[in-house]
Amino acid sequence: MATPNAQGVYEFDLELAYTFSMYSPSNNTPMVYDVNSQKWLRINSTLDSLCNSSSVVTGNLDYALQDINQFSGLHVRMIAINGKIPGDVIVVPLGAEVIMRFKNRMETKSLSIHVHGLNKKGLWYTDGAAFIQQCPICPNSEYSYRFIADTAGTHFYHGHLSTEFGEGIIGGFVVKNLNRKTPDIKGNLLRPSREYYALIQDIGILGIEDQWEVAISRFDKYGKQLNDEWDLSNKSNCWSHARIYDGTPLAYLSPVSALLIGSKGWYSQKDLRKTPSRVPLTTYLIKKGENVRFRFVNAGVGHVIMLWLEQHKLTIVAADGIDIIPIQVDSLVIFPGERYDILIQGLTAPKQKNYRFIFETLERYDYSYQPIEKTIGLANLQYEGSTLKDTDIVDFAHKDCTPADKCKNADPLYVDKEIIQQKVFRSGYEEYFVNIDHDEGINGNLFEMPQGMPYYYYGHEDEILVPCNSTICNKKNGEHCRCFTQFNFTYGNIVQLTLYMSKDANLIAGGKSHPFHMHGTHFYVMKMVYPQGYTKDGLLNSTNTDIPCYGTTCYGLKFKNSSWLNGNVDGMNKNPSFRDTIIIPMGGYVVIRMPTTLSITFFTFI
């Protein structure tokens, strides 16, 4: 927990500056870790020294390595927050007044900051969507966000102008309700003796700016050969977009170099799979029988992560910062932007010193449907004071999961509310159907940045933006309009959005499931529907027919069954989860519902 100033305000000064991973600023030297010898080496960087001459780091390693950002284990130009990648976790009590003062010390980059998960009711202008809610923070300038921490739970802050969230401008943000305890699977209320915040990131072999540019230029297939000699005889230099288990493409723009857990990842999949005991992994401590709360956050660019912990059950106690009825599972799938709080109980008789957290991508095929190996990341759950030996044996096959005794994955629920009733609303209700596609935008319209903040141009928005309407966006020859999608909700109404992603069956192979995130509010997940048709191998071959799509474009559709309109959707959850981030499945749809109690909201898809 942070300490407030004399006025009771929680102030944080955050300096943003370029740095390198695997580099010691205090010694001006690159660092190398040798897996075989398990030694850290300081590379001599003076100009008159021999090339690659080095010295072994000795003494207190925690002290010697305190200013080093391990990152993926490679030397990468990144952006640090007060010298760290990611930034320190900020912890404040519910209702705290907070000032986050960002000092942009980069010479060439502007940015803005969003705290993902905070509602900031009535303070939309502090929410960080650049050019929508604020002007960017320019190089060598400072900007303060002043707000109330009004939403308890696990959140994170990150850059929100362009690509900076994938360059290191990211950190944890926790708002604690000091009166609330953590329930275990039996309903007992606990105060865990310790908590850990675990930020998960997917790091590409290309920097995030290069990932963006190669995608726009259709150069991503050859991204591995950037800044390198082009060898036409080496077919392995080509990169194929991965597909997940249902055959749909993954919305990611580069081969993965490493999965970062906290501040540590490792670039060599061979080292992680063969000799994990020799790799410098993030390590979390636990005692026998102890209850520890973990706050897992997928802050990655695009990869869906499946999380396991060897020989331990995972009890989910919160989702997107909202407490839920505890659910015990064997594994958990986390999409980018989602957060899950997990209670883990220490074994009474552990048989090894370290048990591995296993983080897996959902990669299954290359673009031509040839099987490929998924990317993995590891972290240690270490029994404090254990004298047992470490091991290189990791249960990557999840041997306890069998056809007769299947492992359980998560499906969190929340509590019932008046707003979620299934009925035909006669008044105070609005309903919208929105086709959201990763590549084709909202209802086929690609986002165009406004030339001013829409809030200040209410009623004459045309002065600063191109509105998405049929007159301007006629989509000739299949072209997508670049415009600004805007919904005007009536204050106090209940709003239902049916978010679907459907294409003609012949185009399914190009669709990508992806998350949807709402700024400024949470919403109830009323219904989640997946596609109907799969082959015997589990590959998607037809979309759900509740919202039928038979053409090459599927905009402006509604439920086939008209009796489902006006809030009367069949099969709604009686106890829906209350989220701010949700997955939109390719070929399916999700129905969300929320009260419009804020002056402005903003939603993005990741």
Side-chain angles (χ1 to χ4, degrees), residues 77-95:
R77 195 271 297 159
M78 295 295 292
I79 304 169
I81 303 175
N82 292 342
K84 297 182 180 180
I85 309 169
D88 285 330
V89 179
I90 291 173
V91 184
V92 298
L94 180 64

